Amino acid sequence: MDATVIGPDGLSRCAWVGDDQEYRRYHDEEWGFPLHGDRALFEKMALEGFQAGLSWITILRKRPRFREAFAGFDPAQVADFGAGDIERLMADAGIVRNRAKIEATVSNAKLVRDMADGELDALMWSFAPTGAGAERPRPADMAEVPAVTPESTAMSRALRKRGFRFVGPTTMYALMQSAGMVDDHMVGCWRV
């Protein structure tokens, strides 16, 4: 598989974009841009957790409905979801109807709600590679992109210690990529 693909606009992008218009938009406007804020990172954590075992494009296409169903991923509102809300979500074909993931999102929202403002952001970004040796060469092909790193493993461990669920090291590395904590754009991608 080539590392990049040329889009209809003539731009070279990471090959995972393929020829999907929504993936192109996501790649060009969101993926790898530094994302800050407790609510935004809570949403990212929840959606990455829902993605486990599925393709990201499935989650991306369902994201508008996820946002409606989960009160815009406002941790304070989601933390107040009860048994009736869980059943409402389980009946919503517009989202991924996985009880364990839905319950984990509500539980995680309670943890975020109980944190100081900005604490989730600071905690997650504390695992972004920094300092000497933090910069690694851009990947030349997908085989060079790790699924897990020491940083994502440490982030996962710290979140789990606080009681967060569906935050495994692979899921957290995907979050680190999409939230701009690491930059895995391929050599030759216009975003380099």
Side-chain angles (χ1 to χ4, degrees):
M1 178 182 200
D2 292 332
T4 59
V5 294
I6 306 296
D9 54 6
L11 294 176
S12 177
R13 292 178 177 84
C14 300
W16 58 263
V17 171
D19 63 0
D20 187 278
Q21 181 178 350
E22 180 59 17
Y23 257 170
R24 266 195 312 276
R25 187 211 57 75
Y26 177 70
H27 172 274
D28 292 358
E29 299 174 14
E30 293 183 58
W31 193 75
F33 284 84
L35 180 68
H36 285 281
D38 293 343
R39 191 216 54 81
L41 289 168
F42 168 65
E43 175 181 342
K44 186 69 72 177
M45 177 194 304
L47 292 177
E48 293 288 355
F50 274 103
Q51 187 270 330
L54 303 171
S55 69
W56 181 247
I57 194 65
T58 298
I59 302 303
L60 197 56
R61 289 183 177 141
K62 290 179 178 276
R63 185 169 63 173
R65 182 64 200 136
F66 268 111
R67 286 175 170 165
E68 291 172 18
F70 283 94
F73 288 100
D74 177 339
Q77 289 186 51
V78 177
D80 287 337
F81 282 11
D85 294 296
I86 302 294
E87 294 311 315
R88 170 184 58 82
L89 293 165
M90 285 297 296
D92 191 335
I95 66 167
V96 173
R97 295 177 290 181
N98 178 302
R99 185 175 298 277
K101 293 176 180 182
I102 291 168
E103 290 175 349
T105 301
V106 174
S107 174
N108 291 347
K110 291 175 182 177
L111 296 169
V112 175
R113 177 197 60 197
D114 294 344
M115 297 171 89
D117 188 42
E119 187 175 351
L120 180 66
D121 184 294
L123 175 65
M124 294 182 107
W125 275 91
S126 74
F127 295 100
T130 60
E135 289 293 320
R136 66 175 200 257
R138 296 225 180 247
D141 63 54
M142 288 302 295
E144 294 178 15
V145 178
V148 174
T149 63
E151 294 86 1
S152 73
T153 300
M155 179 190 287
S156 172
R157 189 177 306 117
L159 289 167
R160 286 179 176 175
K161 185 175 180 181
R162 289 174 176 246
F164 286 91
R165 298 173 12 213
F166 281 92
V167 292
T170 302
T171 300
M172 291 302 93
Y173 190 69
L175 181 148
M176 292 176 85
Q177 290 174 304
S178 64
M181 295 175 190
V182 296
D183 186 353
D184 280 337
H185 285 282
M186 295 287 139
V187 170
C189 175
W190 77 269
R191 288 269 322 277
V192 171

